[in-house]
């Protein structure tokens, strides 16, 4: 049976899974860490990929490979393919002003006209996460570096390019490739027409530069050493959807470094508020998505404050009553993207002598993060996106407190799949698809997961959270 490799080059690490192309059975796995920063030398990703591949037993017997990666990051390249400056990652918010300026410039002066123009053009409204805002920031703040730029790639584009044998000094800029899911998060790609908007790229950066060719779902993109077939790759959220076998009606709630709420849809979304990003998926469908900046790091921060580890933190949270006796944490600890408040901070509300306990603070942290994701899910519903099944994933989904509290906050039972590397698995499934030459991705038998039912709802929690978070919007 042929083997395929799926790579997840995420914010925190590189993970490589080796799977049977026919059955999806896991054969080997390897991982290596990435630097903990919001700007990173991409060479660190290449080093981590090599380490993770070695840990996974190497690629000599692998027939095909695809890369899933963190979205939006700006990898600026010069004419020789060298990296001009460290890549700005999705969670680097220094381009918030650039986002606001781009919205204003595309409007006609009437309130909301800029947001509508962007949503109509590419399905998304600029925020600091998106690549186009980082290009504007580079042009305005580092003109000498901007002058050197000949092409811009995303993290998964760049790593795919390196795996295929290109890199600094190879003069291979014309061989950069990407897919529609990752391109749809740049701000200069229209996922409906599946084409770049070079006019918007020029508006963002001031001139036209080279962009990766967009390869269609299931199509071979490149070849590598030992005739390795290389797929187009995918953005991390689209990769996870493919790895989970998500279908229209499924809503995936992911709590990792960031929080993500996304759904598979047959129709595109054009949200003029900018809350819902109208991304594309890896199969030809659409992937309306909302992301929060603050995910599991909120639990880490409160756990450090309380002096407890993950297990003790979960036990504390579960020992407190629903609603944490009125204690409400708005978890904007690193600014926020949904709603778009890059300069905001976290806040604690409803503090009284009687409810200021470690257990209530732990519970408020879990409920606060889940309330921020429930706010995002409500925005999806407002765009007529069907919510038939909630799938809870991400590192924090392994917390028993998060699993058991999630239904009471989200208002529905949640399915928690068997722990896995969903992005890497989706990339591996894409690699098998490319290898097969079929019209659809292969059907792999997936674990049904565990369902957590709605038990004791936290009466009034969502309303208290909405009131507390609204204070940021009215400042």
């Amino acid at each position: 049976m042929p083997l395929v490799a799926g790579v997840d080059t995420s914010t925190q690490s590189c993970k490589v899974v080796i799977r049977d192309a026919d059955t999806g059975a896991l054969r080997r796995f390897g991982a290596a860490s990435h630097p903990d920063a919001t700007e990173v030398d991409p060479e660190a990703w290449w080093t981590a990929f090599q380490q993770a591949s070695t840990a996974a037993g190497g690629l000599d017997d692998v027939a095909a490979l695809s890369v899933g990666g963190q979205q939006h990051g700006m990898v600026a390249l010069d004419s020789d393919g060298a990296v001009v400056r460290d890549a700005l990652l999705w969670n680097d918010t220094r381009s918030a002003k650039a986002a606001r300026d781009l919205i204003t410039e595309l409007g006609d002066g009437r309130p909301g006209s800029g947001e509508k123009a962007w949503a109509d053009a590419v399905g998304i409204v600029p925020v600091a996460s998106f690549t186009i805002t980082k290009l504007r920031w580079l042009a305005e703040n580092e003109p000498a570096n901007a002058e050197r730029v000949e092409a811009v790639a995303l993290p998964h584009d760049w790593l795919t390019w390196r795996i295929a044998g290109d890199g600094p000094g190879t003069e291979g800029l014309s061989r950069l490739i990407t897919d529609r899911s990752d391109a749809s998060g740049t701000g200069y790609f229209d996922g409906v027409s599946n084409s770049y908007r070079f006019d918007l790229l020029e508006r963002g950066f001031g001139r036209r530069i080279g962009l990766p060719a967009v390869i269609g779902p299931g199509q071979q993109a490149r070849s590598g050493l030992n005739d390795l077939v290389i797929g187009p790759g995918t953005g991390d959220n689209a990769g996870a959807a493919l790895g989970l076998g998500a279908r229209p009606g499924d809503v995936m709630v992911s709590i990792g470094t960031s929080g993500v709420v996304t759904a598979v849809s047959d129709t595109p979304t054009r949200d003029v508020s900018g809350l819902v990003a109208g991304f594309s998926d890896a199969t030809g469908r659409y992937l309306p998505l909302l992301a929060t900046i603050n995910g599991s790091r909120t639990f880490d921060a409160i756990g450090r404050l309380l002096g407890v580890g993950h297990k003790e933190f979960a036990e504390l949270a579960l020992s407190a009553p629903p609603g944490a006796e009125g204690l409400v944490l708005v978890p904007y600890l690193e600014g926020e993207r949904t709603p778009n408040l890059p300069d905001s901070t976290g806040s604690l509300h409803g503090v009284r002598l009687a409810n200021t306990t470690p257990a209530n603070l732990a519970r408020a942290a879990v409920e606060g993060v889940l309330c921020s994701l429930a706010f995002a899910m409500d925005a999806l519903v407002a765009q007529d996106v069907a919510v038939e099944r909630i799938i809870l994933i991400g590192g924090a989904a392994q917390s028993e407190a998060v699993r058991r509290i999630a239904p009471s906050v989200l208002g529905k039972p949640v399915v928690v799949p068997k722990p896995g590397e969903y992005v890497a698995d989706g990339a591996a499934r894409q690699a098998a698809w490319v290898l097969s030459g079929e019209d659809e991705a292969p059907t792999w038998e997936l674990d049904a997961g565990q369902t957590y039912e709605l038990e004791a709802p936290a009466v009034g929690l969502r309303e208290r959270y909405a009131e507390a978070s609204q204070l940021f919007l009215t400042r």
Side-chain angles (χ1 to χ4, degrees):
M1 300 292 182
L3 298 179
V4 293
V7 181
D8 174 13
T9 180
S10 73
T11 312
Q12 297 174 315
S13 64
C14 181
K15 300 171 184 177
V16 176
V17 299
I18 310 295
R19 291 189 173 273
D20 185 292
D22 296 326
T23 67
L26 179 65
R27 300 305 185 199
R28 307 192 298 268
F29 171 78
S33 63
H34 284 162
D36 183 13
T38 63
E39 58 177 313
V40 173
D41 181 353
E43 284 297 325
W45 303 334
W46 175 240
T47 299
F49 165 73
Q50 293 174 303
Q51 293 171 344
S53 298
T54 299
L59 302 176
D60 288 346
D61 58 347
V62 170
L65 172 149
S66 283
V67 179
Q70 52 177 305
Q71 289 189 261
H72 314 312
M74 179 191 70
V75 185
L77 303 172
D78 68 14
S79 59
D80 290 326
V83 175
V84 171
R85 60 138 19 248
D86 286 354
L88 297 184
L89 305 190
W90 64 272
N91 54 352
D92 191 300
T93 61
R94 71 185 72 181
S95 59
K97 179 181 179 299
R100 293 191 294 268
D101 291 345
L102 286 166
I103 293 170
T104 300
E105 291 169 14
L106 208 62
D108 59 12
R110 292 178 296 175
S113 62
E115 289 86 349
K116 184 178 187 305
W118 280 99
D120 288 345
V122 290
I124 60 177
V125 177
V127 294
S129 297
F130 298 157
T131 315
I132 193 168
T133 71
K134 300 178 189 304
L135 286 169
R136 169 61 70 87
W137 180 90
L138 180 65
E140 291 182 340
N141 292 275
E142 297 180 357
N145 280 335
E147 182 65 26
R148 293 175 52 205
V149 176
E150 291 295 326
V152 64
L154 302 171
H156 114 255
D157 311 342
W158 185 86
L159 187 58
T160 300
W161 187 64
R162 292 299 305 270
I163 293 170
D166 284 305
T170 62
E171 299 181 353
L173 293 183
S174 64
R175 294 189 289 274
L176 284 164
I177 60 96
T178 191
D179 86 307
R180 64 191 290 272
S181 74
D182 217 0
S184 67
T186 60
Y188 43 82
F189 180 84
D190 178 11
V192 177
S193 65
N194 289 323
S195 61
Y196 283 119
R197 287 290 303 267
F198 286 101
D199 59 323
L200 298 180
L201 172 68
E202 292 173 12
R203 177 178 291 276
F205 192 56
R207 61 185 173 90
R208 184 177 297 201
I209 52 178
L211 298 175
V214 179
I215 307 300
Q219 295 182 1
Q220 179 173 341
R222 298 288 304 274
S223 60
L225 295 175
N226 302 321
D227 296 322
L228 179 68
V229 172
I230 299 177
T234 180
D236 51 3
N237 296 296
L242 188 60
L244 289 164
R247 58 185 185 270
D250 286 343
V251 173
M252 291 155 286
V253 176
S254 174
I255 312 176
T257 304
S258 61
V260 177
V261 177
T262 187
V264 177
S265 176
D266 287 322
T267 57
T269 56
R270 304 285 197 187
D271 182 10
V272 299
S273 76
L275 286 177
V276 180
F279 296 151
S280 302
D281 82 342
T283 70
R285 293 186 176 92
Y286 300 93
L287 200 75
L289 178 147
L290 300 96
T292 65
I293 288 178
N294 300 280
S296 60
R297 286 183 175 182
T298 301
F299 309 147
D300 295 338
I302 300 302
R304 286 194 302 270
L305 180 66
L306 297 175
V308 297
H310 292 163
K311 184 174 184 294
E312 294 82 3
F313 176 84
E315 291 171 349
L316 275 173
L318 288 172
S319 70
E325 296 185 283
L327 203 62
V328 176
L329 176 69
V330 179
Y332 300 164
L333 305 187
E334 296 183 289
E336 192 44 82
R337 169 174 164 178
T338 302
N340 185 27
L341 298 167
D343 300 320
S344 62
T345 58
S347 59
L348 190 63
H349 300 258
V351 182
R352 303 190 308 273
L353 285 175
N355 67 4
T356 307
T357 67
N360 281 334
L361 184 54
R363 178 95 187 195
V366 174
E367 290 178 340
V369 169
L370 288 168
C371 278
S372 74
L373 296 168
F375 170 84
M377 195 167 71
D378 288 346
L380 271 183
V381 173
Q383 293 296 312
D384 297 324
V385 175
V387 180
E388 297 173 4
R389 183 174 67 149
I390 297 176
I391 304 173
L392 183 64
I393 59 174
Q398 304 315 309
S399 164
E400 192 64 20
V402 172
R403 295 177 179 213
R404 288 173 55 185
I405 295 171
S408 67
V409 178
L410 300 178
K412 289 180 179 290
V414 300
V415 176
V416 182
K418 181 180 179 180
E421 302 299 337
Y422 311 117
V423 177
D425 289 346
R429 192 175 176 209
Q430 184 191 74
W433 185 7
V434 173
L435 192 65
S436 72
E438 299 294 333
D439 293 334
E440 299 287 340
T443 300
W444 288 349
E445 186 174 343
L446 302 172
D447 186 274
Q450 183 175 356
T451 299
Y452 285 74
E453 300 292 345
L454 178 61
E455 297 176 352
V459 178
L461 170 62
R462 293 277 298 274
E463 291 76 12
R464 291 194 298 274
Y465 179 87
E467 181 180 0
S469 60
Q470 185 67 22
L471 295 174
F472 287 98
L473 298 173
T474 55
R475 285 176 179 174

